[in-house]
């Protein structure tokens, strides 16, 4: 808590500021005194920029790419991993978790989401993996600030549970609250009916003896001795070394005792951190988002708007200049002329019977132009603090050509691109967690659902007991996800739907310029469309393709992936 205290305090202030709490408490008190009330306007200029950055990230969702990195790895297994990860994301609404963490990073400097497991349904013992949102980033302490999340040795998640639910779930638990400094980050949110508890992940290292065999394979000593005891032919040992094996433990704590504890299946703590800006100041790492540098300019803008409103309210209304007796008997009509439309009648003579000109307005005191200039400067300072100017949020500029407009918009995107890049790094960390966890959760023969990049669902069979990575039985492939070692990278860019629209437009442009292309590519062109019946149109178009193309398609469909 000491290590995270500054980041949590500043992030909380940023979150409140983003929600509209712009005025410091001391100024609120001074301006709210009874009889001395003064305006405290909040004119939000920040959320439009936050939404721009967050929605850019939503439009360009990064995708996990799995690649084999050793001789035992298999391209088809890597693709199966990707399909399983897409299924996990769709089943658990993982995009919500990622979007929330990205928004937290843009606002307060950092956000989190986590990986959990649950039973696939109530009538099975098979487990499914979920990607879950962590709504409050201040409740999480993953390692130390600046530490690589995948190398963290501990993590805490502080949460609360209604007392009735706590008693029902843990009837024999000691009735003690978990009282920590985290209380100040949730004051006012509870009414005494909740109990605070804490999830705690920690790492234990177990020394393991590993052997290098003369056929180039490695095996731990336990597995080697078991093979020898069974009389199996094993290669000779070439080299031996001791390596620490990481094991992740999990427990849930009350203020008095351990309520639950289990071994986590994976070797990584299943929490992903997404950060905004990261500064190392004399060895102390500070995170910040888009809001922090823009708070002072936003306050100046609010001060100017409030002072302007106060000046307008206190400026007297323009009075009438007239001769004595000109409105005698009609005084009430003239008094109400500022607020009610009326036909104003006056006498054209003064009290002595001399003709007089009509009544005239007397100009009121002008409002200084400095207010407008100060508000303009404050708005410019807000944009400079964020690195985003009007064109970045769609405001028209002097540019006229499409290329010039896009170039100006890209300048704003470049200034905030590190938020999207950091979100992609979080996805990469998630990929490592899932690639490690999937074979351990799907640890028995079963049929699993996998999704293609286009969202099309297929089924695949896995068998962790088979010796080969992929075994084919007719048209069905059986995968062993435990075979081989795989690396994770991230493909950041437009989503599949965006690419599909671009593909469709490009195809239609080709057909427009070369109508003959329809005769050889009609099925592909129809398949790329998004209107009802496009798939049926594509299937029927295949029947009219030239015979040599139909033969090539049929041959390709019967070829194995290894051919």
């Amino acid at each position: 808590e000491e290590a995270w205290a500054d980041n949590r305090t500043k992030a909380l202030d940023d979150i409140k500021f983003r929600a509209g709490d712009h005025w410091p408490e001391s100024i609120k008190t001074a301006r709210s005194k009874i009889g001395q009330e003064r305006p405290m306007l909040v004119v939000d200029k920040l959320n439009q920029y936050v939404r721009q950055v967050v929605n850019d990230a939503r439009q360009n969702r990064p995708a996990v790419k799995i690649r084999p990195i050793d001789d035992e790895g298999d391209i088809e297994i890597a693709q199966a991993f990707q399909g399983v990860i897409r299924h996990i994301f769709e089943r658990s609404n993982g995009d919500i978790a990622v979007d929330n963490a990205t928004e937290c990073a843009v606002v307060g400097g950092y956000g989190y989401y986590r990986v959990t497991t649950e039973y696939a349904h109530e009538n099975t013992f098979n487990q499914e993996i979920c990607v879950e949102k962590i709504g409050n980033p201040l409740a999480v302490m993953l390692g130390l600030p600046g530490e690589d999340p995948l190398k963290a040795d501990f993590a805490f998640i502080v949460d609360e549970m209604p007392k009735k639910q706590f008693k029902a779930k843990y009837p024999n638990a000691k009735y003690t609250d978990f009282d920590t400094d985290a209380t100040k980050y949730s004051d006012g949110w509870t009414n005494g009916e909740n109990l605070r508890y804490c999830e705690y992940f920690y790492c234990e290292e177990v020394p393991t003896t590993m052997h290098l065999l003369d056929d180039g394979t490695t095996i731990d000593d336990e597995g080697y001795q078991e093979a020898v005891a069974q009389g199996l032919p094993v290669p000779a040992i070439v080299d031996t070394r001791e390596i620490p094996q990481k094991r992740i433990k999990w427990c849930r704590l009350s203020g008095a005792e351990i309520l639950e504890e289990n071994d986590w299946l994976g070797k990584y703590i299943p929490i992903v951190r997404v950060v905004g800006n990261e500064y190392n100041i004399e060895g102390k790492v500070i995170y910040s988002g888009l809001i922090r540098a823009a708070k002072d300019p936003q306050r100046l803008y609010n001060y100017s708007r409030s002072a302007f409103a106060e000046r307008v309210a206190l400026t007297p209304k323009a009075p009438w200049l007239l001769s004595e007796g000109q409105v005698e008997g009609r005084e009430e009509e003239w008094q109400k002329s500022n607020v009610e439309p009326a036909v104003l009648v006056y006498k054209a003579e003064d009290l002595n019977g001399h003709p007089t000109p009509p009544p005239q307005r007397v100009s009121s005191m002008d409002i200084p132009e400095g207010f407008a200039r100060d508000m303009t400067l404050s708005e410019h300072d807000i944009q400079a603090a964020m690195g985003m100017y009007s064109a970045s949020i769609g405001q028209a500029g002097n540019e006229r050509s499409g290329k010039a407009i896009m170039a100006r918009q890209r300048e704003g995107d470049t200034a905030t691109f590190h938020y999207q890049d950091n979100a992609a790094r979080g996805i990469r960390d998630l990929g490592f967690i899932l690639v490690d966890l999937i074979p351990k959760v799907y640890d028995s023969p079963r049929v699993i659902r996998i999704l293609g990049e286009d969202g099309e669902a297929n089924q695949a069979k896995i068998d962790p007991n088979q010796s080969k990575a992929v075994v084919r039985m007719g048209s069905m492939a059986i995968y062993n996800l435990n075979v081989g070692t795989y690396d994770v990278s991230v493909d950041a860019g437009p989503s599949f739907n965006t690419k599909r629209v671009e593909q469709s437009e490009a195809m239609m442009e080709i057909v427009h310029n070369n109508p003959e292309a329809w005769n050889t590519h009609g099925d592909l062109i129809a398949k790329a469309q998004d209107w009802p019946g496009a798939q049926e149109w594509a299937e029927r178009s295949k029947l009219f393709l030239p015979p040599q193309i139909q033969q090539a398609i049929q041959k390709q469909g019967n070829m194995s992936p290894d051919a």
Side-chain angles (χ1 to χ4, degrees), residues 138-277:
L138 307 180
V140 182
M141 291 167 282
L142 174 60
L144 298 174
E147 185 178 7
D148 184 347
L150 290 181
K151 297 180 180 178
D153 291 332
F154 64 89
F156 297 90
I157 304 177
V158 180
D159 206 345
E160 291 178 340
M161 185 183 298
K163 290 180 179 178
K164 291 182 180 180
Q165 182 180 341
F166 184 89
K167 290 180 179 179
K169 190 168 185 177
Y170 307 107
N172 299 319
K174 297 178 182 178
Y175 192 74
T176 306
D177 199 3
F178 198 106
D179 188 16
T180 72
D181 284 349
T183 307
K184 64 186 177 184
Y185 301 104
S186 58
D187 268 353
W189 291 85
T190 60
N191 55 7
E193 294 300 318
N194 290 351
L195 283 176
R196 185 171 287 106
Y197 67 89
C198 176
E199 290 185 70
Y200 175 36
F201 290 91
Y202 61 98
C203 174
E204 286 185 352
E205 291 190 347
V206 180
T208 303
T209 302
M210 296 294 296
H211 300 302
L212 174 64
L213 307 182
D214 62 6
D215 64 351
T217 61
T218 59
I219 187 172
D220 60 39
D221 186 67
E222 182 179 352
Y224 185 83
Q225 297 301 335
E226 182 179 348
V228 171
Q230 293 177 359
L232 300 175
V234 291
I237 297 175
V238 176
D239 196 6
T240 299
R241 70 185 182 104
E242 294 286 330
I243 62 170
Q245 291 279 5
K246 289 181 64 174
R247 294 182 182 175
I248 303 299
K249 305 285 187 176
W250 171 88
C251 57
R252 176 175 281 130
L253 312 173
S254 71
E257 61 185 335
I258 297 175
L259 301 171
E260 299 178 73
E261 57 182 332
N262 279 309
D263 291 338
W264 176 251
L265 291 175
K267 65 179 181 181
Y268 303 109
I269 292 177
I271 302 175
V272 178
R273 180 193 299 149
V274 180
V275 302
N277 305 304

Side-chain angles (χ1 to χ4, degrees), residues 46-75:
L46 304 184
N47 269 302
Q48 57 184 333
Y49 298 101
V50 171
R51 287 191 291 269
Q52 181 71 28
V53 176
V54 173
N55 290 336
D56 274 348
R58 291 187 178 192
Q59 289 179 330
N60 297 279
R61 297 186 186 277
V64 174
K65 294 292 183 182
I66 312 298
R67 296 181 176 89
I69 58 175
D70 63 3
D71 293 340
E72 295 182 344
D74 187 275
I75 291 291

Side-chain angles (χ1 to χ4, degrees), residues 349-505:
E349 298 177 345
D350 61 15
L351 293 178
N352 298 321
H354 300 141
T356 59
Q360 297 178 352
R361 283 280 195 186
V362 178
S363 298
S364 60
M365 183 172 50
D366 291 336
I367 298 173
E369 295 181 2
F371 286 119
R373 287 198 299 270
D374 189 56
M375 285 184 282
T376 301
L377 287 173
S378 298
E379 188 163 8
H380 182 272
D381 290 342
I382 291 172
Q383 295 173 350
M386 294 183 171
M388 300 176 68
Y389 294 89
S390 301
S392 300
I393 55 174
Q395 184 170 328
N398 297 325
E399 302 83 3
R400 291 296 175 262
S401 71
K403 288 184 177 180
I405 293 172
M406 292 180 65
R408 177 59 62 88
Q409 290 175 339
R410 278 198 300 270
E411 290 178 6
D413 292 342
T414 301
T416 58
F417 180 73
H418 59 288
Y419 291 104
Q420 296 184 39
D421 194 44
N422 289 344
R425 293 178 183 180
I427 291 289
R428 181 174 177 269
D429 288 351
L430 174 66
F432 278 110
I433 293 172
L434 292 179
V435 168
D436 170 63
L437 190 61
I438 286 171
K440 299 171 183 176
V441 173
Y442 302 142
D443 59 348
S444 59
R446 67 166 94 169
V447 175
I448 60 174
R449 178 173 176 261
I450 60 176
L451 291 181
E453 187 180 9
D454 59 355
E456 185 176 350
N458 291 295
Q459 289 186 328
K461 187 173 182 180
I462 61 171
D463 185 357
N465 301 316
Q466 70 182 23
S467 57
K468 294 183 179 180
V470 182
V471 173
R472 294 198 169 275
M473 299 181 63
S475 60
M476 175 180 256
I478 305 174
Y479 303 121
N480 183 356
L481 301 179
N482 292 289
V483 175
T485 306
Y486 298 87
D487 194 14
V488 178
S489 62
V490 172
D491 181 15
S495 65
F496 179 81
N497 286 334
T498 302
K499 294 177 182 177
R500 182 181 52 75
V501 171
E502 293 174 351
Q503 177 194 34
S504 174
E505 292 175 351

Side-chain angles (χ1 to χ4, degrees), residues 9-27:
T9 301
K10 292 175 180 177
L12 178 62
D13 190 64
D14 293 343
I15 294 168
K16 288 182 176 180
F17 197 93
R18 185 266 180 105
D21 187 6
H22 290 187
W23 291 81
E25 291 300 324
S26 57
I27 297 179

